[in-house]
Amino acid sequence: LKESRPNLIIAQFWHIPWPNRDTMRVFPWKQELLDGMLGNDLLGFHLRYHCQNFMDTVDRGIEAKVDYERYEITRGGRATAVRPFPISIDFEDHIEIASGPGVDSEMDRWRRRLGFNDELLGIGIDRIDYTKGIPDRLVALDHLLKDHPEYRERLVFVQIGVPSRVHIRQYKQLDDEIENLIEQINWRWSTGGWQPVVLVKEHCSPTEMMALHRLADFCIVSSLHDGMNLVAKEFVSSRIDEGGVLILSEFTGAARELTDAIQVNPYAWAEIAGAIHQALTMTDEERKKRMRRMREAVAENNIFRWAGKVISALLKFDFQEQAESGMGEGASWKMHG
């Protein structure tokens, strides 16, 4: 793009976490990747931590001037600004749908499907991906039922597992591991018509997922590594009743904003089990206070604020280019992510 149109202003948003420089050392094509990415005038990540990792990778990996004070990288006489832009969702649109009759109908459908009466409900909504920490949360649930028999025949955990990359061997192995764990847990604890874990391996519509959000006593987002994780923000946005508890991995970008979630180390099953117990025994007052603050955070930092920050940064860069090169009205910009 730059070679064909030198006056084009280009931005890229990198949605997934950028690893530290030691991890990137093993990547065989890091120089080609970095060289291509530095064709951007503006490069965005969710977190300043990911910006720092990218700059460290460039500093160690290729010949370039890295300005840590201005968060700017210069290569081949061309500068790239590196900035954090934490992404979000359309909060107002989400709550309008979540409070509508379609979601009410789906809530009734879930109750019938699960044979749900007065049981406690926990949910996890993920792609079946090794970064999502699904096996660890299942092990945590198993130990919770062992250490807290009061939850037997009372707690149901619904794991939505959207199939992902099933043709790749490692993903197929993960899929098998999850199914085996659920089979073992259900064999160990099921009694009569009750089983503790329900696996739903299908794509669910937004209204179906919002219905689960509204029904759940708690939602677990236990990603091992996640740039942001919008499932956490969607759960919070769906809770128009200010109920429910979010159990959130400290290794997600969302953890920086949703500080009133119960934050956990997703590798520590005992910590997750303790968080579930805390969620289920939390007072109504505490639950509502936490959820209210998280909803305020998502409402303030919504998708429009994210887009506005990106575009504002682009326009500033564009004005600077016009002033320096006299490009005038011929200047244009493009964003990709």
Side-chain angles (χ1 to χ4, degrees):
L1 286 171
K2 277 292 187 184
E3 288 171 359
S4 62
R5 294 187 62 185
N7 291 344
L8 194 68
I9 303 300
I10 310 173
Q12 179 178 1
F13 182 71
W14 192 267
H15 186 68
I16 59 177
W18 190 270
N20 62 46
R21 62 188 185 186
D22 291 327
T23 301
M24 278 298 294
R25 286 176 63 191
V26 304
F27 183 55
W29 305 282
K30 62 179 177 296
Q31 290 194 354
E32 291 87 346
L33 176 63
L34 294 173
D35 190 56
M37 292 180 71
L38 291 175
N40 290 287
D41 299 283
L42 176 66
L43 190 55
F45 297 89
H46 286 298
L47 306 176
R48 189 164 294 278
Y49 173 67
H50 298 152
C51 295
Q52 185 73 41
N53 281 350
F54 179 78
M55 295 182 69
D56 289 345
T57 301
V58 172
D59 203 13
R60 283 282 285 271
I62 59 176
E63 185 177 341
K65 178 186 176 183
V66 180
D67 188 334
Y68 286 97
E69 189 171 319
R70 298 178 61 192
Y71 271 74
E72 188 174 280
I73 300 169
T74 304
R75 177 169 169 80
R78 188 168 58 225
T80 300
V82 183
R83 299 287 185 271
F85 300 110
I87 203 168
S88 193
I89 66 172
D90 186 340
F91 180 77
E92 294 298 333
D93 182 66
H94 193 99
I95 62 174
E96 182 178 351
I97 298 171
S99 58
V103 171
D104 289 336
S105 297
E106 289 297 338
M107 290 170 70
D108 290 336
R109 194 183 71 83
W110 277 115
R111 289 188 186 101
R112 292 192 301 269
R113 179 175 179 177
L114 299 172
F116 199 68
N117 295 308
D118 297 324
E119 291 91 345
L120 300 167
L121 178 65
I123 62 171
I125 300 175
D126 311 86
R127 285 183 300 105
I128 297 181
D129 186 292
Y130 60 89
T131 65
K132 301 303 181 183
I134 300 172
D136 300 272
R137 82 178 62 147
L138 292 171
V139 171
L141 185 69
D142 187 34
H143 282 271
L144 176 81
L145 293 171
K146 176 185 175 183
D147 296 338
H148 293 277
E150 66 270 24
Y151 295 126
R152 298 174 198 169
E153 301 185 338
R154 289 189 61 220
L155 172 63
V156 175
F157 185 79
V158 175
Q159 176 63 57
I160 304 294
V162 180
S164 175
R165 304 178 179 94
V166 292
H167 59 287
I168 299 176
R169 179 172 57 86
Q170 288 88 344
Y171 284 83
K172 179 65 171 63
Q173 289 174 343
L174 174 64
D175 190 39
D176 292 341
E177 180 185 3
I178 291 169
E179 288 199 357
N180 289 337
L181 274 170
I182 291 174
E183 184 178 347
Q184 291 170 21
I185 294 168
N186 285 338
W187 175 83
R188 186 175 295 121
W189 304 114
S190 293
T191 58
W194 172 81
Q195 63 178 31
V197 186
V198 176
L199 176 63
V200 180
K201 289 179 62 176
E202 61 190 54
H203 292 273
C204 294
S205 69
T207 53
E208 288 176 306
M209 290 189 289
M210 289 181 195
L212 273 182
H213 293 160
R214 286 184 52 191
L215 285 169
D217 293 281
F218 65 91
C219 174
I220 302 181
V221 176
S222 55
S223 307
L224 307 180
H225 201 187
D226 227 329
M228 178 54 65
N229 194 287
L230 295 180
V231 170
K233 293 188 174 184
E234 289 165 352
F235 173 72
V236 167
S237 300
S238 295
R239 294 312 299 240
I240 54 179
D241 62 343
E242 297 182 345
V245 178
L246 176 63
I247 298 171
L248 182 61
S249 164
E250 62 190 39
F251 302 138
T252 63
R256 272 70 170 182
E257 296 176 58
L258 304 179
T259 54
D260 283 283
I262 301 176
Q263 298 198 8
V264 294
N265 179 339
Y267 295 91
W269 57 258
E271 195 171 317
I272 300 172
I276 297 173
H277 179 60
Q278 181 184 349
L280 294 175
T281 55
M282 189 179 293
T283 65
D284 287 344
E285 182 183 1
E286 177 69 14
R287 188 181 301 116
K288 286 180 179 292
K289 182 174 68 175
R290 285 172 176 258
M291 184 57 70
R292 188 178 303 119
R293 288 198 292 237
M294 288 191 288
R295 286 172 59 80
E296 288 170 355
V298 179
E300 181 178 358
N301 298 309
N302 59 35
I303 187 65
F304 303 107
R305 183 168 184 149
W306 171 83
K309 287 181 177 179
V310 175
I311 293 172
S312 294
L314 273 172
L315 291 174
K316 288 176 183 177
F317 200 97
D318 198 7
F319 294 149
Q320 178 184 347
E321 288 291 303
Q322 290 182 40
E324 292 178 357
S325 62
M327 280 164 38
E329 294 182 359
S332 58
W333 56 270
K334 179 179 180 70
M335 181 179 176
H336 53 103

